[in-house]
Each structure stands twice: as structure tokens, then as C-alpha cells.
Amino acid sequence: MSAGGRDAAARVTLTSLAAKKAAGEPIVMVTAYDHPSARIADEVGVDIVLVGDSAANVVLGYESTVPVSVDELLVLVRAVRRGLRHPFLVADLPFGSYEASEEQAVRTAQRFVKEGGADAVKLERAGTSVDRARAVVEAGIPVMGHVGLTPQAATSLGGYRAQGRTADQAERVIDGALALQAAGCFAVVLEAVPAAVTELLAPLTTCVTIGIGAGGATDGQVLVWHDLLGLSDGHAARFVRRFADLRSEAVRGLTAYADAVRQREFPAVEHTYRLPRDELAMLRTRLAEKSRLDG
Ligand code: KIV
């Protein structure tokens, strides 16, 4: 075990991620927002866990990712950190926490590393985010970029829609990813872009590419925990595949519990604690004595 209590030999690092890319071994990334999920991701052996600002929607019930704060995400990052030994932990910088200046970006990234225990941070968009990414990398914190559909900028992108569907837009996506790579990002997420754009970008990248709705030409894939396990209700994006249906299972289990309570069928004898017969007799005597004295 390392000083931090994690098994250093099997830990995912920037070096092991780069080695996977070089070997053409697919990288598995998933979001997680709490301790039990982190423990499952660890047990399954995923490579990267992201505490995404998608927590705003899937955990905290906000309409978009815009309102979630650094303090709200930090609570989740710490919980996930406590559940992980092997995967590489990335924390999303939420909207408004890095755009204003390089100093702001570095300060926020430092909080996620120092207070949350993240290995790296992720920020969205290219443009000014490239300078913010460079500043955070220069401060010694690994950065993951994110281009294509960047939900923090959904309003200016015209909604939650695929990006890079014209030559101009596709060139912007490719240029953005390459600018983030040049700024020192160890990885870039490509969200909701045509597979053909990813295929053109792939041979130009030296950093790790992670896709979500970007086809199969990236080095790895990411999905949101609640989407892939079928915990979300309502509309799912085109790129989501449900690998389980945990929501139905949760509804079934909770309904069975409610029925059992209402029918007084739960708790049963095996769920209750026993008071030894002699202790019970003594208690009865004492209570009888008390009520005789009171009454
Ligand atoms: O916040 C998030 O979950 C993300 C992933 C979709 C990449 O940014």
C-alpha cells in the first residue's frame, strides 16, 4: 500500500493511461457521485471516474449544470475519493468557477485537488478555456478538456444538440481539441459529434481522447452512471445505451417494502431482537411494581 492507503501498483496514472492509448487498449470512464458507486467502479476496474457536473441534473435535481456550485460538487468528490483505490479521479470544474481568470481557474482546481482529493480536473470548451487549462497545467494539476456538446454552454450552442455537423463546426471541434492538447491537457472528452469528425481527429491526437456520442475512434468511452444503469427517467440522449434497468428494480423493491409494512408482514421475527426470558420477567415485575406505586 502507498502512504495514501491506495495500492500503488494497480493505480491508474497518467502514465498508465498513455500506455493504454499507445497499446490501443480501450479506456473505460464512468461518472460517479457517491461512495457506494465509487466502490462499485473500483471493484469493476474502470480506469477513470469523473465526478461530473452532470451531478447537477442526475443527483441534485437542477434543470441544467449551470447552477451547481464548487461546494456542492466538493462534497461528492470527497465521497467518491473515499470509495476509490485504483481508478483515476477527475473532478469537473462547474460553470462560473474557472472562466473569469487564470487565477480563478487555478484556485478552483486546487480546491478540488486539496480538499476533494481529485487527481485531475475537467473544464469545458476551447476558446478562453484553453488559456485556463494551460494555467492549471502549469500549476501542476492535470487537466481534461471537453469539446463538442459542452452542456455548460448549451444556451449559446442552441440547446443540447450534436455539434460539428457542418465542415465549419467540425473544424472548430477539431481545432478546439488540438488547442487543448497543445495547452497540455492529458485528455479531451468529445461529446455528441459525428463519428467521422472523431475519425479525422484521432490520428492528430497525442493526448487521450474519450468519447460520449462521438463514435468508436476515441481511446475510451464515458457514460453517465444514471444513464448506463437505467436510473434516469425521461428522455435519454441518442448516445446512451442502458446496460441495466436499476430504476425498475428500485421501484419494484420499494413497492414490495411499502406493501410489506402496510400489511404488517414486515418486520418478521428474524428482523427483531430478543430479550432473554428471565430479563423479560424481571422487567414485567418492575413495570407492574411501578404502576402499582403510581396508581
Ligand atoms: O458532467 C459529466 O457527466 C460530463 C460527462 C458527460 C463527460 O461532463
Side-chain angles (χ1 to χ4, degrees):
M1 285 289 194
S2 69
R6 291 191 284 155
D7 180 354
R11 230 159 76 191
V12 178
T13 61
L14 293 179
T15 311
S16 66
L17 290 171
K20 281 203 168 199
K21 177 184 176 81
E25 254 184 72
I27 293 169
V28 181
M29 173 165 152
V30 68
T31 68
Y33 314 100
D34 60 22
H35 186 258
S37 315
R39 292 196 53 172
I40 295 169
D42 191 86
E43 181 181 322
V44 166
V46 308
D47 299 298
I48 304 176
V49 170
L50 167 70
V51 180
D53 61 353
S54 49
N57 308 106
V58 298
V59 175
L60 300 174
Y62 291 121
E63 290 280 324
S64 77
T65 57
V66 168
V68 73
S69 69
V70 170
D71 288 327
E72 283 171 310
L73 281 189
L74 265 173
V75 173
L76 310 185
V77 174
R78 281 192 217 107
V80 169
R81 170 77 288 159
R82 288 190 285 268
L84 292 185
R85 288 178 309 146
H86 305 114
F88 194 78
L89 174 58
V90 181
D92 243 340
L93 301 186
F95 178 76
S97 74
Y98 62 94
E99 299 90 334
S101 67
E102 292 171 18
E103 291 71 26
Q104 186 201 28
V106 171
R107 244 192 335 269
T108 309
Q110 285 170 337
R111 285 197 69 193
F112 279 103
V113 172
K114 272 173 86 104
E115 299 173 39
D119 296 310
V121 296
K122 178 166 84 59
L123 45 70
E124 291 191 6
R125 296 177 301 106
T128 54
S129 291
V130 173
D131 297 327
R132 308 295 176 256
R134 188 180 300 105
V136 175
V137 171
E138 282 171 3
I141 297 172
V143 177
M144 176 179 271
H146 184 158
V147 294
L149 170 55
T150 48
Q152 291 177 10
T155 308
S156 55
L157 294 175
Y160 296 89
R161 45 169 26 133
Q163 300 296 305
R165 299 185 85 175
T166 65
D168 277 354
Q169 271 189 12
E171 196 177 1
R172 269 203 296 281
V173 170
I174 291 174
D175 287 348
L178 295 177
L180 288 161
Q181 172 175 284
C185 288
F186 75 97
V188 176
V189 169
L190 300 166
E191 180 165 351
V193 298
V197 176
T198 311
E199 282 157 23
L200 288 170
L201 173 64
L204 308 176
T205 59
T206 49
C207 72
V208 166
T209 55
I210 303 285
I212 175 163
T218 49
D219 301 310
Q221 298 291 327
V222 61
L223 279 178
V224 166
W225 184 272
H226 292 61
D227 291 343
L228 85 95
L229 293 177
L231 276 164
S232 316
D233 50 355
H235 169 76
R238 177 188 172 85
F239 52 72
V240 170
R241 176 156 149 199
R242 287 199 167 153
F243 291 85
D245 187 6
L246 295 193
R247 191 172 192 284
S248 299
E249 186 54 16
V251 168
R252 192 203 58 72
L254 192 56
T255 304
Y257 164 68
D259 289 348
V261 170
R262 288 180 184 130
Q263 287 160 22
R264 298 195 182 283
E265 182 243 304
F266 176 85
V269 176
E270 66 268 28
H271 307 119
T272 57
Y273 297 97
R274 240 176 49 79
L275 182 60
R277 204 185 293 264
D278 52 342
E279 297 292 336
L280 180 58
M282 205 183 316
L283 179 62
R284 282 210 168 104
T285 309
R286 282 188 198 162
L287 291 179
E289 181 68 7
K290 261 197 195 141
S291 79
R292 194 181 60 77
L293 290 176
D294 292 346

